[in-house]
Amino acid sequence: MNSDPFSLNQTGLDSARLPVHVAIIMDGNGRWAKKRLLNRIKGHEKGTEAVRTIVRACREIGISYLTLYAFSTENWQRPKSEVAALMILLQQFLKTEQKELMDNNIRLTAIGQLERLPANVRRVLDKTMAMTKENSKMCLNLALSYGGRAEIVRMVKDIAIKVKDGNIDPDAITAELIPEYLYTRMMPDPDLLIRTGGEMRISNFLLWQIAYTEIYVTDTLWPDFGKDKFIRILADYQQRERRFGKV
């Protein structure tokens, strides 16, 4: 997370209109590497640098929650060598950023089918989440082995069991109840979803949570995504009128 510090005043952003929760689909690592005749792993390594930059930017600007789509349920279908390399990068990232997370008062959380992660990665993840759990300035939330449909299926099963056991009346199942059974129950829905790499799709990410989220798609590949681009997107967000279906 080493980048030059800056103040919110330098950005020209309105502190009163910042998104509370920003979610990012970090796409384009492979294409970034291909353009440079490098192997895909080099793209993922470069992408890790972009993660550090944007986490630091969010902390300095005052974004309370940042969710990064780091590894999807579908990503398990990639070549075993690439998956193994991604797990190594994840483990290294978690280890190297522990001090920065503590120094910057950032809490780490994770959502997804975490039980599918390799045991060594899970140990480091659990340790990092435990050591940062009291941090309160910002929450960095990693979507790991995550899929929106799988999350919804899990929620339906959990509620169905409680209905079967008589602990929930079916009439009590409302749009307000459902979020309590999602991975993200401890955080607000995203205000802004950014997708890098130019693809115009959601890719099974936070399907329930983004019902009224503002979406911004940029052609910039994730390894090239920096602080200046992020600030420009936040400025665009602040010009939007969020009506939530109202006039």
Side-chain angles (χ1 to χ4, degrees):
M1 298 179 196
N2 297 319
S3 61
D4 295 331
F6 62 97
S7 69
L8 183 61
N9 291 336
Q10 291 175 280
T11 68
L13 297 171
D14 179 355
S15 61
R17 300 191 66 193
L18 288 172
V20 174
H21 185 175
V22 175
I24 303 179
I25 300 174
M26 306 179 293
D27 195 16
N29 290 345
R31 281 175 285 161
W32 183 91
K34 185 177 180 180
K35 283 172 62 176
R36 290 158 178 80
L37 304 179
L38 300 170
N39 98 20
R40 291 175 58 84
I41 306 307
K42 293 297 183 184
H44 294 310
E45 290 174 356
K46 188 69 174 177
T48 302
E49 296 178 19
V51 169
R52 293 189 179 99
T53 297
I54 298 308
V55 172
R56 173 60 67 87
C58 284
R59 168 68 174 79
E60 292 169 347
I61 290 169
I63 305 296
S64 297
Y65 296 88
L66 173 65
T67 295
L68 300 177
Y69 201 7
F71 193 86
S72 72
T73 49
E74 292 75 22
N75 287 157
W76 290 114
Q77 300 170 34
R78 290 187 177 185
K80 289 183 179 180
S81 59
E82 183 174 352
V83 171
L86 285 168
M87 291 299 119
I88 290 170
L89 281 175
L90 173 58
Q91 184 180 17
Q92 290 173 343
F93 175 82
L94 292 169
K95 285 181 177 178
T96 58
E97 301 310 309
Q98 287 173 353
K99 184 178 185 301
E100 284 283 349
L101 292 170
M102 294 303 296
D103 289 347
N104 287 284
N105 199 16
I106 298 172
R107 182 172 78 258
L108 180 76
T109 59
I111 59 174
Q113 297 173 343
L114 305 181
E115 68 279 1
R116 296 180 67 182
L117 297 173
N120 57 338
V121 175
R122 184 63 190 270
R123 280 194 296 272
V124 179
L125 176 63
D126 288 345
K127 178 181 178 181
T128 308
M129 290 194 294
M131 69 187 296
T132 64
K133 68 179 181 180
E134 300 300 328
N135 292 350
S136 58
K137 187 65 178 180
M138 174 185 158
C139 174
L140 169 60
N141 182 42
L142 300 180
L144 299 168
S145 188
Y146 174 87
R149 287 183 173 182
E151 179 182 27
I152 290 171
V153 169
R154 175 181 173 274
M155 172 271 296
V156 171
K157 287 181 177 178
D158 287 348
I159 292 178
I161 289 169
K162 292 210 170 185
V163 170
K164 182 181 177 182
D165 292 343
N167 294 320
I168 293 180
D169 186 315
D171 290 336
I173 301 173
T174 63
E176 290 70 38
L177 176 73
I178 286 173
E180 296 178 20
Y181 289 84
L182 297 176
Y183 292 129
T184 53
R185 58 188 171 274
M186 301 302 290
M187 61 188 69
D189 290 341
D191 301 293
L192 173 64
L193 170 65
I194 299 169
R195 179 168 189 142
T196 63
E199 301 290 352
M200 303 294 287
R201 56 178 176 266
I202 300 301
S203 295
N204 199 21
F205 187 45
L206 300 177
L207 298 179
W208 176 276
Q209 296 90 335
I210 63 171
Y212 287 102
T213 297
E214 295 295 320
I215 298 175
Y216 191 107
V217 177
T218 173
D219 289 332
T220 303
L221 302 176
W222 177 247
D224 292 326
F225 190 79
K227 187 165 58 182
D228 291 344
K229 180 68 176 180
F230 184 52
I231 290 170
R232 288 197 294 271
I233 292 173
L234 293 177
D236 176 271
Y237 167 86
Q238 293 195 337
Q239 297 304 311
R240 301 187 186 187
E241 183 179 355
R242 304 185 71 197
R243 294 193 291 272
F244 300 96
K246 302 172 185 176
V247 176

